[in-house]
Amino acid sequence: MSTEKNQTLTRFFESMSAMDADTMTALVEKQLSDDDLELFVRHLEDFYGIEEEEELGTLAQIMVTGYLAAKSEMGKLQ
C-alpha cells in the first residue's frame, strides 16, 4: 500500500474513532439504507453460515466500516 493510501486510511480510522455513536449512526444512515445493511447481514448468513445475532451484528459493523473506508479512499464519502 502506498504511503498516501496508508495516510488516507489512517485519517479515516482516526476520524471514526473520534465520532460518538449518534454521529456514526448518522454517517452510516447517510451512506446505506436499511435494505443495504440487510444485504450485508444476509451475505454473512448465506455465505459464511453465521446465525448468531451478536456475531452477525459485529461482523456487519466491520463490513460497513470497510465499505465506508473504501468510499472515503475513493473520495466518495460525503
Side-chain angles (χ1 to χ4, degrees):
M1 179 182 313
S2 72
T3 301
E4 183 180 332
K5 285 184 179 184
N6 188 297
Q7 290 172 345
T8 300
L9 284 173
T10 299
R11 281 190 301 273
F12 171 76
F13 289 127
E14 287 172 349
S15 71
M16 287 192 72
S17 293
M19 290 182 193
D20 62 26
D22 291 336
T23 303
M24 176 68 78
T25 299
L27 174 64
V28 171
E29 288 175 347
K30 186 175 181 181
Q31 301 298 320
L32 296 162
S33 69
D34 288 344
D35 289 339
D36 297 332
L37 295 171
E38 184 60 30
L39 285 174
F40 284 104
V41 173
R42 274 188 276 153
H43 172 71
L44 291 166
E45 290 172 325
D46 296 342
F47 189 77
Y48 294 102
I50 297 168
E51 297 177 4
E52 200 271 314
E53 291 295 319
E54 188 173 329
E55 189 174 1
L56 282 169
T58 299
L59 292 172
Q61 288 176 16
I62 292 167
M63 288 180 73
V64 167
T65 300
Y67 174 82
L68 295 176
K71 283 190 79 168
S72 176
E73 184 179 339
M74 293 170 35
K76 295 183 178 183
L77 189 64
Q78 304 168 8

